[in-house]
Amino acid sequence: MELMFRALLFHLLLYCATQTSGVTIQTVPAVDSEGVIQTELEKTVSLVCQPDGGHEADEELQWLRNGFAVSLTEENKMGLSNNGATFTCRRRNNATATASVTLNVSYRPQLSGSEEVSVEEESMLVLWCDIWANPPVSSVSWSLNGSAVDLLAGGFSVTNDGFTSTISADRVEKSLHEGTYQCTAESPIYGSHSKKFIVTLTDKTLTIPLMPFIAGLVVVFFTVLLAVASRWNRIRK
Ligand SMILES: *[C@@H]1O[C@H](CO)[C@@H](O)[C@H](O)[C@H]1NC(C)=O
Ligand SMILES: *[C@@H]1O[C@H](CO)[C@@H](O)[C@H](O)[C@H]1NC(C)=O
Ligand SMILES: *[C@@H]1O[C@H](CO)[C@@H](O)[C@H](O)[C@H]1NC(C)=O
Protein backbone atom coordinates (compact mmCIF):
# COMPACT_ATOMS: atom_id res chain seq x y z
CA MET A 1 0.00 0.00 0.00
CA GLU A 2 1.49 3.30 -1.04
CA LEU A 3 1.04 6.92 0.00
CA MET A 4 2.49 9.44 -2.38
CA PHE A 5 2.78 13.17 -1.93
CA ARG A 6 3.70 16.08 -4.03
CA ALA A 7 4.20 18.74 -1.42
CA LEU A 8 1.68 21.58 -1.63
CA LEU A 9 -0.56 19.36 -3.67
CA PHE A 10 0.13 16.09 -2.05
CA HIS A 11 -1.17 13.30 -4.18
CA LEU A 12 -2.08 10.22 -2.33
CA LEU A 13 -2.01 6.92 -4.10
CA LEU A 14 -3.04 3.59 -2.78
CA TYR A 15 -2.01 0.14 -3.65
CA CYS A 16 -3.54 -2.68 -1.70
CA ALA A 17 -1.35 -5.34 -0.32
CA THR A 18 -2.36 -8.84 0.42
CA GLN A 19 -0.41 -10.47 3.18
CA THR A 20 0.22 -9.85 6.83
CA SER A 21 1.98 -10.17 10.11
CA GLY A 22 4.20 -7.13 10.79
CA VAL A 23 4.35 -4.19 8.41
CA THR A 24 7.22 -2.16 6.99
CA ILE A 25 7.11 1.28 5.40
CA GLN A 26 9.48 1.96 2.54
CA THR A 27 9.92 5.60 1.64
CA VAL A 28 11.41 7.74 -1.08
CA PRO A 29 13.31 9.73 0.06
CA ALA A 30 14.56 7.50 2.89
CA VAL A 31 13.88 8.31 6.53
CA ASP A 32 16.69 9.68 8.70
CA SER A 33 17.86 8.05 11.94
CA GLU A 34 14.85 9.56 13.79
CA GLY A 35 12.28 8.10 11.41
CA VAL A 36 11.73 11.50 9.78
CA ILE A 37 11.48 12.11 6.04
CA GLN A 38 13.14 15.41 5.17
CA THR A 39 11.63 16.98 2.08
CA GLU A 40 10.78 20.30 0.47
CA LEU A 41 7.78 21.90 -1.16
CA GLU A 42 7.11 20.67 -4.70
CA LYS A 43 9.02 17.46 -4.11
CA THR A 44 7.30 14.11 -4.22
CA VAL A 45 7.34 11.72 -1.30
CA SER A 46 6.18 8.17 -1.56
CA LEU A 47 5.36 5.86 1.30
CA VAL A 48 4.90 2.18 0.60
CA CYS A 49 3.57 -0.05 3.32
CA GLN A 50 4.33 -3.73 2.99
CA PRO A 51 3.47 -6.66 5.16
CA ASP A 52 6.45 -8.73 6.34
CA GLY A 53 6.07 -12.21 4.91
CA GLY A 54 2.96 -13.86 6.25
CA HIS A 55 -0.13 -15.44 4.82
CA GLU A 56 -3.87 -14.61 5.15
CA ALA A 57 -4.45 -13.43 1.61
CA ASP A 58 -6.98 -10.55 1.66
CA GLU A 59 -5.78 -8.92 4.84
CA GLU A 60 -6.26 -5.16 4.63
CA LEU A 61 -3.75 -2.51 5.53
CA GLN A 62 -4.71 0.93 6.75
CA TRP A 63 -2.98 4.32 6.79
CA LEU A 64 -3.41 6.69 9.72
CA ARG A 65 -2.40 10.32 9.82
CA ASN A 66 -1.69 11.52 13.37
CA GLY A 67 -3.77 8.61 14.59
CA PHE A 68 -6.76 9.18 12.31
CA ALA A 69 -7.63 7.06 9.31
CA VAL A 70 -6.66 8.55 5.96
CA SER A 71 -9.44 8.12 3.47
CA LEU A 72 -7.70 6.67 0.50
CA THR A 73 -9.55 8.18 -2.35
CA GLU A 74 -7.39 7.94 -5.39
CA GLU A 75 -6.16 11.51 -5.21
CA ASN A 76 -6.17 13.09 -1.81
CA LYS A 77 -5.09 16.66 -1.95
CA MET A 78 -3.32 17.64 1.20
CA GLY A 79 -1.56 20.86 1.95
CA LEU A 80 1.13 21.99 4.31
CA SER A 81 -1.00 20.75 7.15
CA ASN A 82 0.83 17.50 6.55
CA ASN A 83 3.98 19.08 7.80
CA GLY A 84 5.10 17.36 10.95
CA ALA A 85 2.38 14.76 10.49
CA THR A 86 3.07 11.18 11.43
CA PHE A 87 1.85 8.51 9.05
CA THR A 88 1.24 5.09 10.43
CA CYS A 89 0.49 1.95 8.52
CA ARG A 90 -1.19 -0.93 10.28
CA ARG A 91 -3.18 -4.05 9.71
CA ARG A 92 -6.83 -3.15 9.92
CA ASN A 93 -7.52 -5.95 12.42
CA ASN A 94 -4.26 -6.11 14.32
CA ALA A 95 -3.30 -2.83 15.93
CA THR A 96 0.00 -4.25 17.20
CA ALA A 97 1.42 -4.59 13.69
CA THR A 98 2.30 -0.97 12.90
CA ALA A 99 5.04 1.18 11.40
CA SER A 100 5.29 4.97 11.34
CA VAL A 101 7.14 7.78 9.60
CA THR A 102 7.01 11.54 10.10
CA LEU A 103 7.13 14.17 7.36
CA ASN A 104 9.21 17.31 7.69
CA VAL A 105 8.59 19.65 4.77
CA SER A 106 10.97 22.61 4.52
CA TYR A 107 9.70 25.76 2.88
CA ARG A 108 10.69 29.34 2.40
CA PRO A 109 8.78 32.33 3.77
CA GLN A 110 5.99 33.06 1.28
CA LEU A 111 6.82 36.74 0.73
CA SER A 112 6.99 38.43 -2.66
CA GLY A 113 5.55 41.16 -4.83
CA SER A 114 4.01 44.41 -3.76
CA GLU A 115 0.66 45.66 -2.58
CA GLU A 116 -0.92 49.12 -2.76
CA VAL A 117 -2.46 50.38 0.42
CA SER A 118 -4.33 53.61 0.89
CA VAL A 119 -5.07 55.02 4.31
CA GLU A 120 -6.94 58.09 5.37
CA GLU A 121 -4.92 60.73 7.20
CA GLU A 122 -5.13 60.55 11.00
CA SER A 123 -6.44 56.99 10.91
CA MET A 124 -4.55 53.78 11.72
CA LEU A 125 -2.05 52.05 9.47
CA VAL A 126 -1.52 48.31 9.84
CA LEU A 127 0.66 46.21 7.54
CA TRP A 128 1.50 42.58 8.02
CA CYS A 129 3.73 39.90 6.51
CA ASP A 130 3.27 36.17 6.70
CA ILE A 131 6.65 34.95 7.91
CA TRP A 132 5.82 31.30 8.64
CA ALA A 133 8.53 29.03 7.27
CA ASN A 134 10.39 25.83 8.03
CA PRO A 135 13.00 26.26 9.42
CA PRO A 136 11.69 29.43 11.13
CA VAL A 137 13.04 32.74 9.87
CA SER A 138 15.96 34.09 11.85
CA SER A 139 14.95 37.75 11.61
CA VAL A 140 12.37 40.14 10.18
CA SER A 141 12.95 43.79 9.43
CA TRP A 142 10.83 46.67 8.14
CA SER A 143 12.03 49.52 5.98
CA LEU A 144 10.41 52.73 4.75
CA ASN A 145 11.68 54.30 1.54
CA GLY A 146 14.73 52.04 1.71
CA SER A 147 15.95 52.73 5.22
CA ALA A 148 15.07 51.07 8.49
CA VAL A 149 11.77 52.31 9.87
CA ASP A 150 12.30 54.92 12.57
CA LEU A 151 9.93 53.50 15.17
CA LEU A 152 10.12 56.48 17.48
CA ALA A 153 9.70 59.23 14.89
CA GLY A 154 6.70 57.57 13.26
CA GLY A 155 5.13 56.25 16.45
CA PHE A 156 5.31 52.76 14.96
CA SER A 157 5.05 49.50 16.80
CA VAL A 158 6.22 46.17 15.42
CA THR A 159 5.04 42.79 16.66
CA ASN A 160 6.02 39.29 15.65
CA ASP A 161 4.26 36.14 16.84
CA GLY A 162 6.28 33.70 14.73
CA PHE A 163 3.57 33.53 12.05
CA THR A 164 3.04 37.18 11.23
CA SER A 165 5.08 40.32 11.58
CA THR A 166 2.93 43.42 11.95
CA ILE A 167 3.82 47.10 11.84
CA SER A 168 1.30 49.68 12.90
CA ALA A 169 0.96 53.39 13.55
CA ASP A 170 -2.00 54.94 15.35
CA ARG A 171 -2.49 58.31 13.67
CA VAL A 172 -0.85 58.61 10.30
CA GLU A 173 0.48 61.83 8.81
CA LYS A 174 1.47 62.29 5.18
CA SER A 175 4.95 63.62 5.97
CA LEU A 176 5.83 60.76 8.31
CA HIS A 177 3.99 57.73 7.03
CA GLU A 178 3.55 57.88 3.26
CA GLY A 179 6.03 55.90 1.18
CA THR A 180 7.16 52.40 0.26
CA TYR A 181 7.37 49.94 3.12
CA GLN A 182 9.11 46.60 2.85
CA CYS A 183 9.26 43.65 5.20
CA THR A 184 12.21 41.33 4.81
CA ALA A 185 12.51 37.92 6.43
CA GLU A 186 15.85 36.13 6.63
CA SER A 187 15.75 32.36 6.37
CA PRO A 188 18.74 30.36 7.61
CA ILE A 189 18.63 28.21 4.47
CA TYR A 190 16.61 30.09 1.83
CA GLY A 191 18.14 33.58 2.10
CA SER A 192 16.06 36.73 2.31
CA HIS A 193 12.50 37.19 1.09
CA SER A 194 10.53 40.38 1.06
CA LYS A 195 7.26 42.06 0.25
CA LYS A 196 6.55 45.72 -0.53
CA PHE A 197 3.65 47.94 0.44
CA ILE A 198 3.12 51.18 -1.42
CA VAL A 199 1.24 53.30 1.09
CA THR A 200 -0.57 56.46 0.06
CA LEU A 201 -2.45 58.75 2.40
CA THR A 202 -5.75 60.23 1.38
CA ASP A 203 -7.25 63.42 2.74
CA LYS A 204 -9.36 63.05 5.79
CA THR A 205 -13.00 63.04 4.75
CA LEU A 206 -15.43 65.14 6.75
CA THR A 207 -17.27 62.70 8.95
CA ILE A 208 -20.96 63.45 9.23
CA PRO A 209 -22.29 61.89 12.41
CA LEU A 210 -23.75 58.99 10.48
CA MET A 211 -25.51 56.97 13.18
CA PRO A 212 -27.94 59.68 14.41
CA PHE A 213 -28.60 60.51 10.76
CA ILE A 214 -29.55 56.91 9.93
CA ALA A 215 -31.59 56.58 13.12
CA GLY A 216 -33.53 59.69 12.09
CA LEU A 217 -34.23 58.24 8.65
CA VAL A 218 -35.48 55.01 10.17
CA VAL A 219 -37.88 56.88 12.45
CA VAL A 220 -39.25 58.88 9.51
CA PHE A 221 -39.67 55.72 7.46
CA PHE A 222 -41.66 53.89 10.13
CA THR A 223 -43.80 56.91 10.90
CA VAL A 224 -44.77 57.14 7.24
CA LEU A 225 -45.36 53.41 7.10
CA LEU A 226 -47.65 53.50 10.13
CA ALA A 227 -49.58 56.46 8.71
CA VAL A 228 -50.08 54.66 5.41
CA ALA A 229 -51.08 51.44 7.16
CA SER A 230 -53.68 53.11 9.38
CA ARG A 231 -55.11 55.04 6.44
CA TRP A 232 -55.26 51.80 4.44
CA ASN A 233 -57.15 50.11 7.29
CA ARG A 234 -59.65 52.97 7.40
CA ILE A 235 -60.22 52.77 3.64
CA ARG A 236 -60.88 49.05 3.80
CA LYS A 237 -63.52 49.41 6.55
C1 LIG B 1 -0.50 -9.12 15.30
O1 LIG B 1 0.77 -8.68 14.86
C2 LIG B 1 1.85 -8.99 15.73
C3 LIG B 1 3.10 -8.32 15.23
O2 LIG B 1 3.43 -8.67 13.94
C4 LIG B 1 1.96 -10.55 15.78
O3 LIG B 1 3.01 -10.89 16.66
C5 LIG B 1 0.65 -11.10 16.29
O4 LIG B 1 0.71 -12.50 16.26
C6 LIG B 1 -0.52 -10.62 15.43
N1 LIG B 1 -1.78 -11.01 16.04
C7 LIG B 1 -2.76 -11.63 15.37
C8 LIG B 1 -3.99 -11.92 16.13
O5 LIG B 1 -2.64 -11.92 14.17
C1 LIG C 1 12.78 19.75 9.94
O1 LIG C 1 13.37 20.54 8.94
C2 LIG C 1 13.92 21.77 9.41
C3 LIG C 1 14.35 22.58 8.22
O2 LIG C 1 15.13 21.88 7.33
C4 LIG C 1 15.05 21.46 10.39
O3 LIG C 1 15.58 22.67 10.87
C5 LIG C 1 14.47 20.65 11.54
O4 LIG C 1 15.51 20.28 12.41
C6 LIG C 1 13.80 19.39 11.02
N1 LIG C 1 13.12 18.74 12.12
C7 LIG C 1 13.19 17.42 12.32
C8 LIG C 1 12.40 16.90 13.48
O5 LIG C 1 13.84 16.66 11.62
C1 LIG D 1 9.05 58.32 0.76
O1 LIG D 1 9.25 58.62 -0.61
C2 LIG D 1 8.13 59.22 -1.23
C3 LIG D 1 8.43 59.36 -2.71
O2 LIG D 1 9.70 59.87 -2.94
C4 LIG D 1 7.86 60.57 -0.57
O3 LIG D 1 6.74 61.20 -1.18
C5 LIG D 1 7.58 60.35 0.91
O4 LIG D 1 7.39 61.56 1.59
C6 LIG D 1 8.72 59.58 1.56
N1 LIG D 1 8.30 59.22 2.90
C7 LIG D 1 9.00 59.53 3.99
C8 LIG D 1 8.39 59.08 5.29
O5 LIG D 1 10.07 60.08 3.94
Side-chain angles (χ1 to χ4, degrees):
M1 188 159 64
E2 176 169 0
L3 277 177
M4 198 180 246
F5 307 95
R6 188 167 304 128
L8 203 55
L9 284 183
F10 294 86
H11 290 272
L12 209 70
L13 300 175
L14 156 74
Y15 296 97
C16 276
T18 47
Q19 296 163 344
T20 59
S21 78
V23 290
T24 310
I25 299 175
Q26 284 171 0
T27 73
V28 179
V31 294
D32 65 14
S33 53
E34 259 96 64
V36 178
I37 301 173
Q38 308 291 349
T39 186
E40 289 188 85
L41 275 188
E42 314 293 337
K43 301 239 169 98
T44 298
V45 172
S46 86
L47 311 178
V48 180
C49 180
Q50 286 172 331
D52 308 330
H55 28 87
E56 289 169 65
D58 43 12
E59 181 67 57
E60 277 184 281
L61 296 176
Q62 185 181 34
W63 278 108
L64 305 178
R65 174 178 174 271
N66 291 338
F68 294 97
V70 175
S71 70
L72 285 160
T73 47
E74 213 162 285
E75 250 186 69
N76 254 347
K77 285 183 186 161
M78 302 204 276
L80 269 176
S81 58
N82 278 325
N83 204 14
T86 296
F87 289 88
T88 303
C89 176
R90 71 171 190 203
R91 285 172 54 188
R92 215 177 270 279
N93 59 6
N94 183 350
T96 58
T98 67
S100 296
V101 293
T102 299
L103 273 194
N104 187 12
V105 183
S106 305
Y107 53 95
R108 61 196 68 237
Q110 310 291 306
L111 291 174
S112 63
S114 70
E115 193 181 305
E116 294 193 4
V117 178
S118 103
V119 200
E120 202 173 284
E121 251 186 298
E122 292 182 29
S123 61
M124 193 174 180
L125 170 70
V126 183
L127 305 172
W128 63 89
C129 279
D130 182 359
I131 53 162
W132 189 229
N134 186 25
V137 300
S138 45
S139 70
V140 184
S141 58
W142 286 89
S143 68
L144 170 54
N145 281 355
S147 44
V149 169
D150 186 341
L151 296 181
L152 218 56
F156 289 103
S157 58
V158 174
T159 59
N160 177 346
D161 64 4
F163 297 94
T164 312
S165 176
T166 308
I167 189 169
S168 60
D170 280 342
R171 276 170 65 89
V172 290
E173 287 171 44
K174 220 174 178 98
S175 60
L176 286 175
H177 300 102
E178 196 169 62
T180 302
Y181 292 75
Q182 180 166 286
C183 75
T184 304
E186 298 290 340
S187 160
I189 61 174
Y190 295 114
S192 74
H193 291 265
S194 55
K195 180 176 177 183
K196 277 186 180 151
F197 299 87
I198 297 146
V199 174
T200 49
L201 265 67
T202 57
D203 289 339
K204 193 166 186 270
T205 52
L206 272 180
T207 49
I208 320 163
L210 207 57
M211 282 321 286
F213 181 68
I214 291 173
L217 271 187
V218 170
V219 169
V220 169
F221 174 75
F222 278 105
T223 312
V224 170
L225 196 70
L226 276 176
V228 170
S230 65
R231 166 128 357 147
W232 182 249
N233 276 342
R234 245 177 285 145
I235 291 168
R236 284 208 307 183
K237 274 171 194 162

PDB file of all heavy atoms in Angstrom, residues 7 12 14 54 62 66-67 70 95 108 111 119 133 135 139 141 159 164 170 179 201 206:
ATOM      1  N   ALA A   7       4.441  17.716  -2.425  1.00  0.00           N
ATOM      2  CA  ALA A   7       4.196  18.745  -1.424  1.00  0.00           C
ATOM      3  C   ALA A   7       3.427  19.888  -2.055  1.00  0.00           C
ATOM      4  O   ALA A   7       3.587  20.184  -3.223  1.00  0.00           O
ATOM      5  CB  ALA A   7       5.521  19.223  -0.845  1.00  0.00           C
ATOM      6  N   LEU A  12      -2.111  11.409  -3.159  1.00  0.00           N
ATOM      7  CA  LEU A  12      -2.077  10.222  -2.326  1.00  0.00           C
ATOM      8  C   LEU A  12      -2.509   9.036  -3.163  1.00  0.00           C
ATOM      9  O   LEU A  12      -3.586   9.032  -3.720  1.00  0.00           O
ATOM     10  CB  LEU A  12      -3.098  10.460  -1.205  1.00  0.00           C
ATOM     11  CG  LEU A  12      -2.880   9.809   0.108  1.00  0.00           C
ATOM     12  CD1 LEU A  12      -1.691  10.454   0.781  1.00  0.00           C
ATOM     13  CD2 LEU A  12      -4.112  10.011   0.956  1.00  0.00           C
ATOM     14  N   LEU A  14      -2.874   4.790  -3.590  1.00  0.00           N
ATOM     15  CA  LEU A  14      -3.039   3.588  -2.783  1.00  0.00           C
ATOM     16  C   LEU A  14      -2.854   2.331  -3.613  1.00  0.00           C
ATOM     17  O   LEU A  14      -3.368   2.211  -4.720  1.00  0.00           O
ATOM     18  CB  LEU A  14      -4.454   3.592  -2.197  1.00  0.00           C
ATOM     19  CG  LEU A  14      -5.060   2.252  -1.795  1.00  0.00           C
ATOM     20  CD1 LEU A  14      -4.415   1.756  -0.525  1.00  0.00           C
ATOM     21  CD2 LEU A  14      -6.543   2.380  -1.636  1.00  0.00           C
ATOM     22  N   GLY A  54       4.331 -13.590   5.823  1.00  0.00           N
ATOM     23  CA  GLY A  54       2.961 -13.859   6.253  1.00  0.00           C
ATOM     24  C   GLY A  54       2.119 -14.615   5.247  1.00  0.00           C
ATOM     25  O   GLY A  54       2.610 -15.110   4.246  1.00  0.00           O
ATOM     26  N   GLN A  62      -4.047  -0.362   6.560  1.00  0.00           N
ATOM     27  CA  GLN A  62      -4.705   0.931   6.751  1.00  0.00           C
ATOM     28  C   GLN A  62      -3.666   1.999   7.068  1.00  0.00           C
ATOM     29  O   GLN A  62      -2.733   1.749   7.813  1.00  0.00           O
ATOM     30  CB  GLN A  62      -5.673   0.804   7.933  1.00  0.00           C
ATOM     31  CG  GLN A  62      -6.520   2.012   8.181  1.00  0.00           C
ATOM     32  CD  GLN A  62      -7.439   1.806   9.377  1.00  0.00           C
ATOM     33  OE1 GLN A  62      -7.077   1.135  10.339  1.00  0.00           O
ATOM     34  NE2 GLN A  62      -8.620   2.376   9.304  1.00  0.00           N
ATOM     35  N   ASN A  66      -1.583  11.065  11.982  1.00  0.00           N
ATOM     36  CA  ASN A  66      -1.685  11.517  13.370  1.00  0.00           C
ATOM     37  C   ASN A  66      -2.763  10.739  14.123  1.00  0.00           C
ATOM     38  O   ASN A  66      -3.531  11.298  14.897  1.00  0.00           O
ATOM     39  CB  ASN A  66      -1.992  13.018  13.424  1.00  0.00           C
ATOM     40  CG  ASN A  66      -0.812  13.852  12.947  1.00  0.00           C
ATOM     41  OD1 ASN A  66       0.317  13.392  12.964  1.00  0.00           O
ATOM     42  ND2 ASN A  66      -1.081  15.063  12.501  1.00  0.00           N
ATOM     43  N   GLY A  67      -2.847   9.467  13.848  1.00  0.00           N
ATOM     44  CA  GLY A  67      -3.768   8.611  14.586  1.00  0.00           C
ATOM     45  C   GLY A  67      -5.156   8.491  13.990  1.00  0.00           C
ATOM     46  O   GLY A  67      -5.967   7.724  14.480  1.00  0.00           O
ATOM     47  N   VAL A  70      -6.739   7.749   7.180  1.00  0.00           N
ATOM     48  CA  VAL A  70      -6.657   8.551   5.965  1.00  0.00           C
ATOM     49  C   VAL A  70      -7.617   7.909   4.978  1.00  0.00           C
ATOM     50  O   VAL A  70      -7.541   6.705   4.731  1.00  0.00           O
ATOM     51  CB  VAL A  70      -5.228   8.511   5.375  1.00  0.00           C
ATOM     52  CG1 VAL A  70      -5.177   9.244   4.044  1.00  0.00           C
ATOM     53  CG2 VAL A  70      -4.229   9.099   6.349  1.00  0.00           C
ATOM     54  N   ALA A  95      -3.889  -4.129  15.632  1.00  0.00           N
ATOM     55  CA  ALA A  95      -3.297  -2.829  15.929  1.00  0.00           C
ATOM     56  C   ALA A  95      -1.858  -2.926  16.430  1.00  0.00           C
ATOM     57  O   ALA A  95      -1.177  -1.926  16.560  1.00  0.00           O
ATOM     58  CB  ALA A  95      -4.159  -2.083  16.943  1.00  0.00           C
ATOM     59  N   ARG A 108      10.238  27.970   2.214  1.00  0.00           N
ATOM     60  CA  ARG A 108      10.691  29.344   2.398  1.00  0.00           C
ATOM     61  C   ARG A 108       9.537  30.220   2.880  1.00  0.00           C
ATOM     62  O   ARG A 108       8.377  29.860   2.704  1.00  0.00           O
ATOM     63  CB  ARG A 108      11.248  29.864   1.067  1.00  0.00           C
ATOM     64  CG  ARG A 108      10.190  29.882  -0.048  1.00  0.00           C
ATOM     65  CD  ARG A 108      10.838  30.021  -1.431  1.00  0.00           C
ATOM     66  NE  ARG A 108      11.594  28.832  -1.798  1.00  0.00           N
ATOM     67  CZ  ARG A 108      12.893  28.841  -2.114  1.00  0.00           C
ATOM     68  NH1 ARG A 108      13.562  29.972  -2.144  1.00  0.00           N
ATOM     69  NH2 ARG A 108      13.502  27.722  -2.428  1.00  0.00           N
ATOM     70  N   LEU A 111       6.874  35.283   0.862  1.00  0.00           N
ATOM     71  CA  LEU A 111       6.817  36.744   0.731  1.00  0.00           C
ATOM     72  C   LEU A 111       7.328  37.145  -0.632  1.00  0.00           C
ATOM     73  O   LEU A 111       8.431  36.753  -1.015  1.00  0.00           O
ATOM     74  CB  LEU A 111       7.715  37.407   1.785  1.00  0.00           C
ATOM     75  CG  LEU A 111       7.288  37.300   3.239  1.00  0.00           C
ATOM     76  CD1 LEU A 111       8.371  37.880   4.131  1.00  0.00           C
ATOM     77  CD2 LEU A 111       5.981  38.012   3.461  1.00  0.00           C
ATOM     78  N   VAL A 119      -4.581  54.778   2.953  1.00  0.00           N
ATOM     79  CA  VAL A 119      -5.073  55.023   4.315  1.00  0.00           C
ATOM     80  C   VAL A 119      -5.466  56.487   4.427  1.00  0.00           C
ATOM     81  O   VAL A 119      -4.817  57.358   3.847  1.00  0.00           O
ATOM     82  CB  VAL A 119      -3.958  54.803   5.372  1.00  0.00           C
ATOM     83  CG1 VAL A 119      -4.571  54.568   6.741  1.00  0.00           C
ATOM     84  CG2 VAL A 119      -3.038  53.683   4.988  1.00  0.00           C
ATOM     85  N   ALA A 133       7.639  29.789   8.143  1.00  0.00           N
ATOM     86  CA  ALA A 133       8.528  29.028   7.270  1.00  0.00           C
ATOM     87  C   ALA A 133       9.157  27.904   8.073  1.00  0.00           C
ATOM     88  O   ALA A 133       9.161  27.915   9.291  1.00  0.00           O
ATOM     89  CB  ALA A 133       9.613  29.939   6.709  1.00  0.00           C
ATOM     90  N   PRO A 135      12.886  25.854   8.011  1.00  0.00           N
ATOM     91  CA  PRO A 135      13.000  26.261   9.417  1.00  0.00           C
ATOM     92  C   PRO A 135      12.519  27.694   9.621  1.00  0.00           C
ATOM     93  O   PRO A 135      12.449  28.435   8.653  1.00  0.00           O
ATOM     94  CB  PRO A 135      14.505  26.153   9.664  1.00  0.00           C
ATOM     95  CG  PRO A 135      15.124  26.383   8.335  1.00  0.00           C
ATOM     96  CD  PRO A 135      14.190  25.735   7.358  1.00  0.00           C
ATOM     97  N   SER A 139      15.257  36.355  11.257  1.00  0.00           N
ATOM     98  CA  SER A 139      14.953  37.745  11.608  1.00  0.00           C
ATOM     99  C   SER A 139      13.981  38.352  10.611  1.00  0.00           C
ATOM    100  O   SER A 139      13.848  37.868   9.489  1.00  0.00           O
ATOM    101  CB  SER A 139      16.227  38.586  11.644  1.00  0.00           C
ATOM    102  OG  SER A 139      16.719  38.748  10.329  1.00  0.00           O
ATOM    103  N   SER A 141      12.732  42.352   9.274  1.00  0.00           N
ATOM    104  CA  SER A 141      12.952  43.790   9.426  1.00  0.00           C
ATOM    105  C   SER A 141      12.003  44.567   8.532  1.00  0.00           C
ATOM    106  O   SER A 141      11.509  44.047   7.528  1.00  0.00           O
ATOM    107  CB  SER A 141      14.401  44.135   9.082  1.00  0.00           C
ATOM    108  OG  SER A 141      14.676  43.722   7.765  1.00  0.00           O
ATOM    109  N   THR A 159       5.201  44.016  15.887  1.00  0.00           N
ATOM    110  CA  THR A 159       5.041  42.791  16.664  1.00  0.00           C
ATOM    111  C   THR A 159       5.299  41.590  15.771  1.00  0.00           C
ATOM    112  O   THR A 159       5.168  41.671  14.549  1.00  0.00           O
ATOM    113  CB  THR A 159       3.619  42.651  17.255  1.00  0.00           C
ATOM    114  OG1 THR A 159       2.693  42.650  16.163  1.00  0.00           O
ATOM    115  CG2 THR A 159       3.290  43.785  18.194  1.00  0.00           C
ATOM    116  N   THR A 164       3.285  35.920  11.907  1.00  0.00           N
ATOM    117  CA  THR A 164       3.038  37.183  11.235  1.00  0.00           C
ATOM    118  C   THR A 164       3.860  38.278  11.891  1.00  0.00           C
ATOM    119  O   THR A 164       3.964  38.321  13.118  1.00  0.00           O
ATOM    120  CB  THR A 164       1.543  37.564  11.383  1.00  0.00           C
ATOM    121  OG1 THR A 164       0.758  36.422  11.061  1.00  0.00           O
ATOM    122  CG2 THR A 164       1.166  38.687  10.449  1.00  0.00           C
ATOM    123  N   ASP A 170      -0.646  54.579  14.938  1.00  0.00           N
ATOM    124  CA  ASP A 170      -2.000  54.938  15.350  1.00  0.00           C
ATOM    125  C   ASP A 170      -2.637  56.064  14.547  1.00  0.00           C
ATOM    126  O   ASP A 170      -3.760  55.948  14.108  1.00  0.00           O
ATOM    127  CB  ASP A 170      -2.000  55.323  16.831  1.00  0.00           C
ATOM    128  CG  ASP A 170      -2.013  54.087  17.701  1.00  0.00           C
ATOM    129  OD1 ASP A 170      -2.371  53.014  17.158  1.00  0.00           O
ATOM    130  OD2 ASP A 170      -1.671  54.182  18.883  1.00  0.00           O
ATOM    131  N   GLY A 179       4.806  56.394   1.808  1.00  0.00           N
ATOM    132  CA  GLY A 179       6.026  55.899   1.177  1.00  0.00           C
ATOM    133  C   GLY A 179       5.948  54.408   0.907  1.00  0.00           C
ATOM    134  O   GLY A 179       4.882  53.800   0.996  1.00  0.00           O
ATOM    135  N   LEU A 201      -1.492  58.194   1.446  1.00  0.00           N
ATOM    136  CA  LEU A 201      -2.447  58.753   2.401  1.00  0.00           C
ATOM    137  C   LEU A 201      -3.466  59.606   1.669  1.00  0.00           C
ATOM    138  O   LEU A 201      -3.094  60.411   0.825  1.00  0.00           O
ATOM    139  CB  LEU A 201      -1.714  59.561   3.464  1.00  0.00           C
ATOM    140  CG  LEU A 201      -1.423  58.748   4.734  1.00  0.00           C
ATOM    141  CD1 LEU A 201      -0.433  57.651   4.457  1.00  0.00           C
ATOM    142  CD2 LEU A 201      -0.965  59.651   5.845  1.00  0.00           C
ATOM    143  N   LEU A 206     -14.620  64.576   5.665  1.00  0.00           N
ATOM    144  CA  LEU A 206     -15.430  65.135   6.751  1.00  0.00           C
ATOM    145  C   LEU A 206     -16.387  64.058   7.217  1.00  0.00           C
ATOM    146  O   LEU A 206     -17.131  63.495   6.424  1.00  0.00           O
ATOM    147  CB  LEU A 206     -16.213  66.335   6.241  1.00  0.00           C
ATOM    148  CG  LEU A 206     -15.488  67.672   6.322  1.00  0.00           C
ATOM    149  CD1 LEU A 206     -16.382  68.778   5.794  1.00  0.00           C
ATOM    150  CD2 LEU A 206     -15.060  67.969   7.757  1.00  0.00           C
TER     151      LEU A 206
END
